[in-house]
Amino acid sequence: RAARGSPGGARRAELHKMAAAAAGAEAAAEEEKRLPEGEPESGGDSDDEGDSDSSGDGEDEEKENEAEIQRLEEQLSINAFDYNCHWDLIKLLRQEGELVKLRRARQKMSEIFPLTEEIWLDWLKDEIKMASDISEREKVYELFERAIKDYICPEIWLEYAQYSIGGIGQEGGIEKVRSIFERALTAVGLHVTKGTALWEAYREFENAILETAQPAPGSIPSPEQQRVLCSQLEKIHALFRRQLGIPLLDMEASYAEYEEWSEEPIPETTIKNYKKALQQLEKCKPYEEALLGAETPKLAEYQAYIDFEMKAGDPARIQLIYERALAENCLVPDLWARYNQYLDRQLKVKELVLSAHERAVRNCPWTVGLWIRYLLAMERHRVEHSIVSEMFEKALNAGFIQATDYVEIWQAYLDYLRRRVDFTQDSSKELEELRSAFARAVEYLKQEVEERFSESGDPSCTIMQNWARVEARLCNNMQKARELWDNIMTKGNAKYANMWLEYYNLERAHGDTQHCRKALHRAVQCTSDYPEHVCEVLLTLERIEGTLEDWDAAVQKTENRLARVNEQRAKAAEKEAALAKQEEERAEQRKQARAEKKASKKAKKNRIGDKRKADEDDEGEWGQEEGFQFHPPELPSKRHRGEGDGVLPAEDMEVETELSGSSGKADGPAALKDRASSSRKDVPKVFHDSSKDNVTVFVSNLSYTMAQPEAKLRELFGSCGEVVEVRAVFNNKGTFRGYCYVQFREEEAARQALALDRTAVEGRPMFVSPCVDKNKNPDFKVFRYSTTLEKHKLFISGLPFSCTKEELEEVCKAHGNVKDIRLVTNRAGKPKGLAYVEYENEAQASQAVLKMDGLTVKDHVIKVMISNPPLRKLPEPGRAALAPRHIYGARGKGRTQLSMMPRALQRQSNPVAKAENGMVQNSPAASSDTPAEPKKMSNADFAKLLLKK
């Protein structure tokens, strides 16, 4: 039956070829061992010039590689957690053929990190080539056992099973191969896409065994041979039946192979299981197709697959899909946490649970929650105390990124130690160990954690509070508990009522009335947040248990304290009221100043209009006098922030032209600007159509001096799609205000235009945002970056302004793979010395913080921390109404901005009449809020005024 042709015949031949190739490879490896290191297998004279040049190049490359190897080794001696450095060193050593150093480098990396499938397969293949005798083969077996523990990899299991076939000739070799195959099927036999290869390899192995059990042609098999043949046939039948009951890709071909191989009809039970598996396969196919079409890391697709399997409820399949997801998302702590929680609550198999927890903390050592779950799992499965303590020490060296993480891991370990103590005994080894651990925890947070994070992470001293509770409730040692609470209060907690009440409750439960009274008297004296509550508790105590003298003392103390508190509050309220009054006065002054400025501006416009009329009537009465021409003082330009020098805004140029009496014949800059402004004034206003917001983007932060903004932006945004209209916004004088609306034909073009945000245009970053009416959508935020904690992103400050993105990347990439760098700039595009650096994962970011914080870059000491922007402070509701902001455009006007206009031309807020300037004397009524209307002056009057001066 095994001798006849079948679809499996080709695979059997391939299996035999593989065994022969393995034997040949072993012989070649043995021959290679006999050769001196670096000597070629076959040689000859290499005297020609080309070979000598090649040899010289090879020597240079070898020296460079040796120098690089030395550099990488030194780097790892400084930071053993540099994953990329380990990987680069292994690749270089493998290239150079340094087998001893290569083995040592791989060993060190595997002790710190789980290795990927690629690294394990390279390592295993190298070791297989070198293994010749039994002892060396055993070392390879041990290496395989380590490899299959890191991740569930079908390729490694298949390589393991095929390698074990090479030892089939040894005692118990066949049973060992079968054992490995069975373990492989348990681990990955349910893998929908890759499980079939293992099942077929196992069947081909059993078919090869069947061929060796066949009797010689023409001979009659003995009863023993017949029994062996039947047993072997049953093994192959069983493998077919087991495989056909599992939903695997290409299972129709396996069913056809079984039909052809079996001389007997396939049992109904097998057919029923096969059809059931086919139905299940159809349900799994959408998820497998989604994984096949998704991009790495496929986390969302895997999560949907996990949810599907969880509803089905098959523990083996749930475990496998979790393992598949973790193989591609090994740095996602939440995924490990969900997997470990499922194992802890559902499967509860010690070896499986502890292995998963151990792999979780090796992949994500910076996540304190995984370490806590690991300690609990070890305690749950009664792991030896020495191993638990050793694992806790590893957790302390894991490099957590927050001070509170160390508090949590210490608390978990102290809880574990407390549960080991038998408190019925007055003294024990476990109790002394617990007390020693409490003392060490307090010291560790004070020294190690506070030195690194500038805070202990435990401001309310929760560890010391728990220690005091243990001493009071479980050890009946109130003296020690009081000492601990005294220490807690000296750390800045004496002003909080809840801390005193916690101490009081402990004294109430395990102490005496005298110490309760003493604690409450101290609380009344020290509490500053809720003194009334503490006073009430003290009076309640004395009402129930105190004498008359105690009651009188308590009443007097509480009254005095509350009187002082009320006095302090009254002073604070008066101070706050005074500040509020000052704010109101300042607001009123600002309001009055605005009104005066508005009136002054209106008067100025009226003066200019009257002056023009007077010029026409006087026909140049004064301006045409011989030998004299009036030139008013030159006004300074009113510059917008970010604009170039030497260009006057429309408003100032208009004033200059009109005061000088120019007729506009000269084509100077002012005249050109006036013509441009007047042309803008003639254009009718186009109102924004909010119904087209979905195809419109809002563009801002453009230069006010931009010439022809419509044409320039149409050209700039033309690459995104067809531009229907560019609506640049101008003020009443015709000056471009630095922002506009760009309307597209298609909505997709508007979305593509958002990618041009922060593009440099005339030296300034152009802001591109969706067109949204903020009156209808007040919660809409244009800021596209996260404002919450991002553990994989760093915030760097103190950078020199000359530091470029490339220079910063060169500094940061030594500590991990840099995904993105963003240099923070102001609106004018100038650097602010700040940057955000995004790494691939939290581990690299945490290592970068440790190594880069305090680093000197171009004589600047930089500060590096995990990105966690502070919350934006919102204005107080009451104060916002008291101090309205002046409206001076998009950015406002700085408080310290100085006026560059000569004093002689400045108009006062309340103009006072003087005979010299031709204004009438103000009447008493003119001192009201509305300034008096000044007398209108002609050019002749103004000229007489100057001649008189």
Side-chain angles (χ1 to χ4, degrees):
R1 186 180 302 176
R4 65 178 181 164
S6 70
R11 281 191 292 272
R12 282 197 297 275
E14 184 180 350
L15 187 66
H16 293 311
K17 288 180 182 179
M18 180 194 68
E26 291 177 6
E30 184 65 25
E31 184 65 24
E32 183 180 347
K33 285 184 178 180
R34 299 192 187 100
L35 294 173
E37 185 176 356
E39 183 178 337
E41 295 183 7
S42 61
D45 295 334
S46 319
D47 297 334
D48 60 297
E49 185 176 351
D51 289 346
S52 63
D53 292 344
S54 176
S55 176
D57 294 340
E59 290 178 359
D60 293 340
E61 183 180 357
E62 184 177 352
K63 290 180 181 178
E64 292 178 1
N65 289 343
E66 288 178 358
E68 181 65 12
I69 289 172
Q70 185 177 359
R71 187 192 69 80
L72 291 172
E73 289 176 343
E74 291 175 355
Q75 181 71 21
L76 288 175
S77 65
I78 299 173
N79 179 18
F81 291 90
D82 192 333
Y83 186 94
N84 294 326
C85 195
H86 279 286
W87 179 224
D88 292 340
L89 179 61
I90 289 173
K91 289 190 294 185
L92 205 54
L93 290 173
R94 194 165 190 255
Q95 178 183 339
E96 290 296 307
E98 297 282 352
L99 297 180
V100 177
K101 290 185 178 180
L102 177 61
R103 184 178 292 158
R104 190 185 307 123
R106 284 166 167 166
Q107 180 67 28
K108 288 183 178 179
M109 186 178 183
S110 66
E111 291 173 357
I112 300 175
F113 301 104
L115 304 186
T116 63
E117 177 183 328
E118 178 187 359
I119 299 177
W120 271 121
L121 288 175
D122 289 342
W123 189 357
L124 291 166
K125 290 175 182 177
D126 290 342
E127 295 294 342
I128 288 172
K129 293 177 182 178
M130 300 298 297
S132 57
D133 55 24
I134 297 177
S135 61
E136 291 178 342
R137 287 184 64 85
E138 287 298 325
K139 292 181 180 178
V140 176
Y141 282 128
E142 293 175 1
L143 201 60
F144 269 114
E145 289 295 330
R146 291 174 55 190
I148 60 179
K149 290 180 181 178
D150 277 352
Y151 302 109
I152 298 296
C153 299
E155 289 81 3
I156 294 179
W157 274 109
L158 186 58
E159 188 74 22
Y160 189 12
Q162 290 174 345
Y163 177 74
S164 66
I165 295 175
I168 196 173
Q170 301 173 9
E171 183 178 356
I174 294 179
E175 293 304 320
K176 186 172 185 178
V177 174
R178 284 173 175 159
S179 173
I180 293 173
F181 267 119
E182 288 294 337
R183 291 172 58 198
L185 292 180
T186 302
V188 294
L190 298 178
H191 199 297
V192 176
T193 58
K194 298 181 179 180
T196 304
L198 271 170
W199 286 99
E200 291 182 350
Y202 194 3
R203 285 205 318 274
E204 298 313 322
F205 168 73
E206 295 293 354
N207 271 321
I209 299 298
L210 179 62
E211 290 182 6
T212 61
Q214 292 287 348
S219 62
I220 299 175
S222 63
E224 181 63 23
Q225 289 177 329
Q226 190 68 28
R227 187 186 64 79
V228 171
L229 282 174
C230 291
S231 175
Q232 190 63 27
L233 286 172
E234 182 56 33
K235 284 184 174 64
I236 300 174
H237 273 291
L239 284 174
F240 268 119
R241 289 195 293 267
R242 288 167 60 189
Q243 180 184 354
L244 293 175
I246 298 172
L248 300 171
L249 290 183
D250 200 25
M251 59 187 305
E252 295 88 350
S254 300
Y255 183 81
E257 182 181 346
Y258 186 30
E259 280 185 320
E260 185 176 353
W261 182 87
S262 177
E263 294 181 348
E264 301 173 357
I266 299 178
E268 288 295 328
T269 305
T270 304
I271 296 175
K272 183 178 179 180
N273 292 337
Y274 167 69
K275 291 181 179 179
K276 185 178 179 181
L278 276 177
Q279 295 175 355
Q280 192 173 359
L281 178 63
E282 291 300 319
K283 296 179 181 179
C284 295
K285 274 186 177 180
Y287 300 98
E288 294 290 346
E289 292 171 355
L291 289 174
L292 189 63
E295 296 181 358
T296 305
K298 312 175 184 178
L299 184 59
E301 290 76 13
Y302 272 119
Q303 187 58 55
Y305 207 163
I306 290 171
D307 294 339
F308 164 73
E309 294 291 359
M310 290 287 283
K311 291 179 181 178
D314 187 343
R317 299 191 63 83
I318 294 173
Q319 180 192 353
L320 178 62
I321 191 58
Y322 263 120
E323 292 287 354
R324 289 177 61 185
L326 288 167
E328 296 191 51
N329 298 274
C330 58
L331 299 178
V332 181
D334 291 342
L335 188 59
W336 281 107
R338 291 196 295 271
Y339 181 39
N340 290 336
Q341 181 179 358
Y342 172 76
L343 295 178
D344 287 335
R345 296 180 179 178
Q346 302 297 327
L347 297 187
K348 303 180 182 179
V349 180
K350 178 179 179 180
E351 292 76 11
L352 183 61
V353 169
L354 295 182
S355 172
H357 279 288
E358 194 239 349
R359 289 187 291 132
V361 297
R362 290 184 67 200
N363 279 279
C364 306
W366 64 88
T367 307
V368 68
L370 297 178
W371 286 100
I372 294 175
R373 289 175 181 272
Y374 193 10
L375 294 178
L376 291 172
M378 286 193 289
E379 181 184 6
R380 195 176 294 119
H381 292 282
R382 305 185 184 280
V383 177
E384 293 182 7
H385 172 60
S386 59
I387 298 177
V388 178
S389 298
E390 180 182 354
M391 195 56 58
F392 168 71
E393 296 297 333
K394 287 184 179 180
L396 287 182
N397 297 322
F400 300 131
I401 59 179
Q402 296 184 83
T404 53
D405 292 345
Y406 288 93
V407 179
E408 292 180 24
I409 193 65
W410 267 111
Q411 192 59 64
Y413 183 59
L414 292 169
D415 292 344
Y416 158 73
L417 293 178
R418 181 194 59 78
R419 289 189 285 266
R420 296 182 67 246
V421 178
D422 183 6
F423 289 101
T424 58
Q425 302 178 7
D426 294 336
S427 179
S428 64
K429 178 182 177 181
E430 289 79 7
L431 179 58
E432 294 304 319
E433 184 179 5
L434 175 61
R435 285 172 171 162
S436 175
F438 268 118
R440 183 189 166 200
V442 173
E443 189 66 21
Y444 186 90
L445 295 177
K446 180 180 178 181
Q447 299 292 335
E448 302 290 337
V449 178
E450 193 163 349
E451 179 180 350
R452 177 180 170 189
F453 296 97
S454 300
E455 60 166 325
S456 67
D458 190 16
S460 58
C461 303
T462 54
I463 289 182
M464 293 182 69
Q465 288 188 49
N466 290 332
W467 188 2
R469 293 187 188 101
V470 169
E471 294 289 353
R473 297 176 184 176
L474 302 178
C475 301
N476 298 319
N477 188 355
M478 275 302 300
Q479 183 61 33
K480 180 65 177 177
R482 292 180 185 119
E483 292 176 3
L484 290 170
W485 268 105
D486 286 340
N487 196 0
I488 291 171
M489 293 304 180
T490 59
K491 295 184 180 298
N493 293 300
K495 58 184 177 181
Y496 300 116
N498 66 316
M499 299 296 287
W500 283 108
L501 295 179
E502 187 70 29
Y503 177 31
Y504 166 74
N505 290 331
L506 189 67
E507 282 284 0
R508 190 75 172 160
H510 307 285
D512 52 51
T513 304
Q514 180 181 356
H515 284 91
C516 288
R517 182 177 292 112
K518 183 178 179 181
L520 289 177
H521 275 274
R522 290 175 61 192
V524 169
Q525 189 68 29
C526 300
T527 300
S528 60
D529 54 352
Y530 298 105
E532 294 89 349
H533 189 38
V534 176
C535 292
E536 183 181 352
V537 174
L538 175 59
L539 294 175
T540 301
L541 173 68
E542 301 300 356
R543 179 176 287 109
I544 296 174
E545 300 187 16
T547 63
L548 178 60
E549 291 77 8
D550 295 332
W551 172 262
D552 291 339
V555 170
Q556 182 179 358
K557 193 173 188 68
T558 55
E559 287 179 351
N560 291 339
R561 176 58 179 161
L562 293 178
R564 288 197 302 272
V565 169
N566 292 331
E567 183 179 353
Q568 293 171 357
R569 290 175 178 173
K571 289 181 179 180
E574 290 177 3
K575 187 176 180 180
E576 186 175 353
L579 292 175
K581 185 176 181 181
Q582 292 177 4
E583 287 293 334
E584 291 178 0
E585 292 175 353
R586 283 196 290 267
E588 187 64 28
Q589 291 173 1
R590 287 193 291 268
K591 181 179 179 181
Q592 184 177 356
R594 285 197 301 272
E596 292 172 353
K597 183 175 181 180
K598 184 176 180 181
S600 177
K601 190 174 181 180
K602 183 177 180 181
K604 169 186 167 183
K605 290 181 179 180
N606 293 335
R607 258 197 328 271
I608 292 173
D610 292 342
K611 175 194 65 176
R612 289 176 177 172
K613 184 176 181 181
D615 286 345
E616 296 173 359
D617 295 340
D618 294 343
E619 295 180 355
E621 175 184 341
W622 168 79
Q624 297 177 2
E625 293 181 8
E626 285 189 24
F628 180 82
Q629 186 173 1
F630 169 65
H631 294 280
E634 184 177 353
L635 296 179
S637 62
K638 178 182 177 183
R639 292 175 56 196
H640 291 274
R641 188 176 301 181
E643 292 187 356
D645 298 331
V647 180
L648 285 170
E651 180 182 353
D652 293 340
M653 288 190 291
E654 181 179 341
V655 173
E656 182 180 39
T657 304
E658 292 172 351
L659 288 177
S660 64
S662 173
S663 61
K665 295 179 181 179
D667 288 337
L672 293 174
K673 191 72 176 181
D674 284 341
R675 285 204 295 271
S677 301
S678 61
S679 65
R680 293 289 181 191
K681 295 176 188 176
D682 296 338
V683 177
K685 290 186 178 180
V686 179
F687 295 97
H688 177 68
D689 187 0
S690 59
S691 64
K692 298 180 180 179
D693 283 350
N694 61 324
V695 293
T696 306
V697 295
F698 178 68
V699 183
S700 60
N701 202 45
L702 299 171
S703 174
Y704 294 129
T705 60
M706 178 181 289
Q708 299 297 325
E710 295 94 338
K712 189 172 187 66
L713 294 178
R714 184 179 293 273
E715 178 184 356
L716 183 62
F717 285 95
S719 60
C720 303
E722 182 182 354
V723 178
V724 176
E725 183 183 8
V726 177
R727 296 193 300 279
V729 180
F730 298 85
N731 62 15
N732 293 331
K733 301 296 182 181
T735 304
F736 180 46
R737 297 185 62 182
Y739 63 91
C740 63
Y741 298 88
V742 180
Q743 180 181 334
F744 295 90
R745 181 74 61 188
E746 302 292 338
E747 186 174 352
E748 179 62 27
R751 283 195 292 268
Q752 292 182 11
L754 297 176
L756 297 179
D757 186 36
R758 311 282 169 167
T759 302
V761 177
E762 296 189 0
R764 296 171 62 88
M766 174 181 67
F767 299 161
V768 184
S769 58
C771 189
V772 176
D773 187 355
K774 289 189 176 181
N775 294 326
K776 299 179 181 179
N777 301 276
D779 297 331
F780 176 76
K781 302 294 182 184
V782 179
F783 193 68
R784 63 176 181 175
Y785 302 107
S786 174
T787 58
T788 58
L789 174 65
E790 294 180 280
K791 297 183 178 180
H792 66 290
K793 186 180 291 186
L794 304 183
F795 173 70
I796 302 179
S797 60
L799 289 168
F801 293 159
S802 60
C803 182
T804 63
K805 183 176 181 180
E806 292 73 18
E807 291 173 342
L808 182 58
E809 183 177 7
E810 192 67 26
V811 175
C812 298
K813 72 180 184 180
H815 309 289
N817 293 331
V818 178
K819 293 181 63 178
D820 183 44
I821 292 180
R822 177 166 62 94
L823 295 177
V824 182
T825 62
N826 59 17
R827 285 179 174 264
K830 304 297 182 183
K832 300 174 70 174
L834 310 174
Y836 290 90
V837 180
E838 182 179 357
Y839 283 93
E840 280 192 346
N841 52 62
E842 300 175 17
Q844 295 177 0
S846 61
Q847 291 301 318
V849 171
L850 295 176
K851 300 301 179 183
M852 292 174 57
D853 189 30
L855 190 68
T856 301
V857 177
K858 293 185 178 181
D859 298 331
H860 285 67
V861 179
I862 64 174
K863 292 184 178 181
V864 185
M865 62 190 73
I866 298 295
S867 175
N868 188 15
L871 296 176
R872 184 181 295 274
K873 293 183 179 179
L874 299 176
E876 297 181 12
R879 294 176 183 257
L882 294 176
R885 181 181 175 184
H886 288 284
I887 300 176
Y888 292 104
R891 295 201 60 179
K893 181 176 180 181
R895 293 183 180 179
T896 60
Q897 184 173 340
L898 300 177
S899 174
M900 302 303 293
M901 182 179 292
R903 292 188 180 92
L905 298 179
Q906 287 183 355
R907 293 187 299 273
Q908 299 179 0
S909 298
N910 287 317
V912 179
K914 296 183 180 179
E916 291 81 4
N917 62 8
M919 296 176 66
V920 297
Q921 183 72 24
N922 282 353
S923 64
S927 61
S928 61
D929 292 342
T930 304
E933 188 73 21
K935 180 181 178 181
K936 299 174 183 178
M937 298 172 58
S938 65
N939 280 351
D941 295 333
F942 197 47
K944 291 175 183 179
L945 170 65
L946 292 178
L947 289 175
K948 187 180 296 184
K949 285 189 176 182

